[in-house]
Amino acid sequence: MAVPLIQAAMVGAYVVGQHLRGNRRFPLVLMLEPLFRCNLACAGCGKIDYPEPILRRRLSVAECLDAVEECGAPVVSIAGGEPLLHPEIDRIVAGITARRKFVYLCTNALLLEKRLDRFKPSPFFTWSVHLDGGREEHDRAVCQDGVFDRAVAAIRAAKARGFRVNINCTLFDGAEPAKVAAFFDEAMAAGIDAITVSPGYAYERAPDQEHFLNRRKTKELFRAVFSRGRGKGWRFAQSPLFLDFLAGNQTYHCSPWGNPTRNVFGWQRPCYLLGESYAPSFRALMEETDWDAYGTGHYEKCANCMVHSGYEPTAVDEAVRHPLKAMAAALRGPRTDGPMAPEIPLDRQRPAQEVFSRHVADALHRIEAEDAPRKRAGSRV
C-alpha cells in the first residue's frame, strides 16, 4: 500500500502548488495515445474507427516525452489503441518513469506476457489491464472468446515478476450488480493491486450504441454494486469523492483540462473521449479552448457522461480543497441509499456537431503531403 500513499502525497502536493500559484485550470493526468491501432475490435469502442493510413501512424519516443514535459502532469495514462503494439513502448515508459511520473499502461493484455521482459518493475509503473467483468461478460464486451483467460494469465505472470497490476473495468447498460461484485471479489482474491471502474462513454463511432448508460442508470448501477462491497476491502485506484459521485451523491461539473490528451492528431479538444478539434501545443490547448462550450449541460454529446477522465480531476480538486470531506468519504465509502444530489439541467445544451469526417479528411491530407517527398524520391531510384 506504500505506492498509492506516495502517489497520493505527490499528486496532492502538486495540486496544492497549482492552487498557491493561482492556477484555475491545470493538468492532473496526461492521456497519451501513441497510436490508435488495436488487436481487438470491441463493440463499445470509438477509438479505432480510422482509415489504414491513420492507423499506421504513431508518436515517436521523442514526441511522447516532449508531451510529458510540455504538459507537466504528475500522472501519465498510456492508452490507445493497444500501446503494446508500439515497437518502442518500453522506451516510452522508461523515459517517463525516469522523470518520476506515475505511469499506467492500459492494455488488453493479449501481448503482455510476450512483452514483459522489456519492462522493469517500478513504484512509478503500473499495468492497467482491461477487464469488463468475468469471463462471459468480458469476452462478450471485446467480441472475442478466450480474451479473459489470456488476460488473467498475463496478470498472474506480471504479478509473479513483481509488477503492480490494476484492472480497468468499464460498465455498460445491462451489467448485473451481483456479477460485478463477484468479479471484484475474484479480482481482489487474485492479488491485483487496485480497480479502476467507470461507466462507458457513448462514443459516437462505437458499433454498439444500445448499451451505454444514462446518468440515472449509472448512479443506480453503482449504488447497487457498491452496496455489495461493504467490508470486503475492494481497493480502487480512484478518489473516494469520485466514487461517491458515481453513486449519485455529488453534483460535479466536468474538468476536461484535468486529463488532456495527446495523440497522432495533436492535443485533442476538449478531452480524451471527445475529439472536436486539435491544438498544436499544450499551451494552445489550455489557452485557446472554449472550455465552457463542453461538459454536461453545455453540449449534447456530454449529456450522459460520468467518466473518470472528466470527473476525477474535479473530485481530486475538491478533496484537496476539503480534506475532511474526502476523509469522511474514504472512511464510510460511497453512500448507497437516500436522495441523490441534484442533476445538471440539460435545457440549455447546444446540439451535437458531426466533425469526425472533417478530422479524418484533414489528417489524410497531411499524411499525403508528408509522404509525397518520400514517394517522389522512391520513384527516381
Side-chain angles (χ1 to χ4, degrees):
M1 295 297 291
V3 172
L5 291 175
I6 293 170
Q7 179 175 328
M10 292 180 66
V11 171
Y14 167 83
V15 174
V16 169
Q18 294 290 335
H19 286 178
L20 292 175
R21 288 190 288 273
N23 294 333
R24 178 188 169 200
R25 298 188 178 109
F26 52 87
L28 189 66
V29 178
L30 167 62
M31 308 295 289
L32 182 63
E33 292 181 297
L35 79 177
F36 290 134
R37 183 179 294 279
C38 191
N39 48 5
L40 286 175
C42 305
C45 178
K47 283 286 184 178
I48 61 173
D49 186 24
Y50 292 105
E52 185 62 26
I54 294 176
L55 292 177
R56 285 199 299 265
R57 308 293 280 192
R58 59 177 182 261
L59 297 179
S60 68
V61 175
E63 287 174 318
C64 290
L65 298 182
D66 286 347
V68 172
E69 295 284 354
E70 189 180 358
C71 174
V75 180
V76 180
S77 177
I78 304 178
E82 171 50 56
L84 289 179
L85 290 172
H86 195 295
E88 296 180 293
I89 189 63
D90 53 328
R91 292 183 57 202
I92 294 170
V93 169
I96 300 172
T97 56
R99 289 161 170 77
R100 296 180 65 81
K101 307 288 186 180
F102 292 94
V103 177
Y104 291 82
L105 197 158
C106 305
T107 175
N108 58 39
L110 292 180
L111 294 171
L112 181 51
E113 287 192 82
K114 292 182 179 180
R115 303 288 194 265
L116 269 179
D117 288 339
R118 298 186 183 183
F119 300 85
K120 294 181 180 179
S122 165
F124 290 93
F125 178 59
T126 301
W127 295 103
S128 181
V129 176
H130 175 209
L131 282 180
D132 287 343
R135 180 179 293 102
E136 178 184 353
E137 291 78 20
H138 183 65
D139 286 356
R140 182 172 61 246
V142 301
C143 305
Q144 184 173 315
D145 292 338
V147 175
F148 177 87
D149 289 335
R150 292 174 67 181
V152 169
I155 289 172
R156 289 173 178 155
K159 291 298 297 180
R161 299 277 192 96
F163 289 95
R164 288 183 51 79
V165 182
N166 289 0
I167 59 167
N168 183 355
C169 180
T170 303
L171 301 183
F172 296 91
D173 191 19
E176 299 178 34
K179 287 187 176 181
V180 175
F183 169 61
F184 287 173
D185 289 341
E186 293 169 7
M188 288 288 101
I192 63 105
D193 292 282
I195 300 166
T196 299
V197 65
S198 189
Y201 174 75
Y203 287 106
E204 59 184 330
R205 306 296 300 183
D208 179 4
Q209 292 290 319
E210 298 180 1
H211 291 92
F212 293 111
L213 291 157
N214 63 36
R215 288 171 74 92
R216 181 71 190 191
K217 286 186 175 180
T218 293
K219 297 169 185 179
E220 291 171 348
L221 172 61
F222 277 93
R223 282 194 171 194
V225 171
F226 291 149
S227 68
R228 290 166 165 81
R230 299 287 186 196
K232 291 186 174 181
W234 294 347
R235 293 188 299 274
F236 291 97
Q238 293 157 295
S239 68
L241 287 176
F242 173 72
L243 300 178
D244 208 41
F245 163 74
L246 289 180
N249 303 318
Q250 306 291 334
T251 301
Y252 285 155
H253 287 270
C254 177
S255 299
W257 55 84
N259 282 27
T261 297
R262 171 68 163 98
N263 57 35
V264 298
F265 292 145
W267 290 89
Q268 182 167 304
R269 291 190 179 103
C271 67
Y272 173 72
L273 302 166
L274 197 59
E276 295 284 288
S277 64
Y278 296 86
S281 68
F282 176 70
R283 173 172 287 186
L285 172 76
M286 297 298 285
E287 295 180 356
E288 299 172 13
T289 302
D290 182 8
W291 298 110
D292 292 334
Y294 301 101
T296 303
H298 296 288
Y299 190 36
E300 186 178 5
K301 290 183 182 180
C302 306
N304 287 311
C305 182
M306 293 181 67
V307 180
H308 61 282
S309 59
Y311 289 94
E312 183 78 74
T314 308
V316 170
D317 190 63
E318 179 161 1
V320 172
R321 293 177 182 273
H322 304 284
L324 294 180
K325 179 179 179 180
M327 188 180 301
L331 290 173
R332 65 168 167 77
R335 181 169 56 82
T336 57
D337 56 14
M340 293 185 181
E343 187 51 271
I344 298 172
L346 304 177
D347 56 317
R348 295 186 179 182
Q349 66 181 5
R350 64 188 177 94
Q353 295 179 307
E354 201 289 314
V355 296
F356 180 84
S357 298
R358 185 181 76 243
H359 293 328
V360 170
D362 290 346
L364 291 174
H365 180 74
R366 289 196 302 272
I367 291 171
E368 183 178 351
E370 292 170 2
D371 289 347
R374 178 180 55 80
K375 291 180 179 179
R376 286 196 297 268
S379 65
R380 292 195 296 268
V381 175

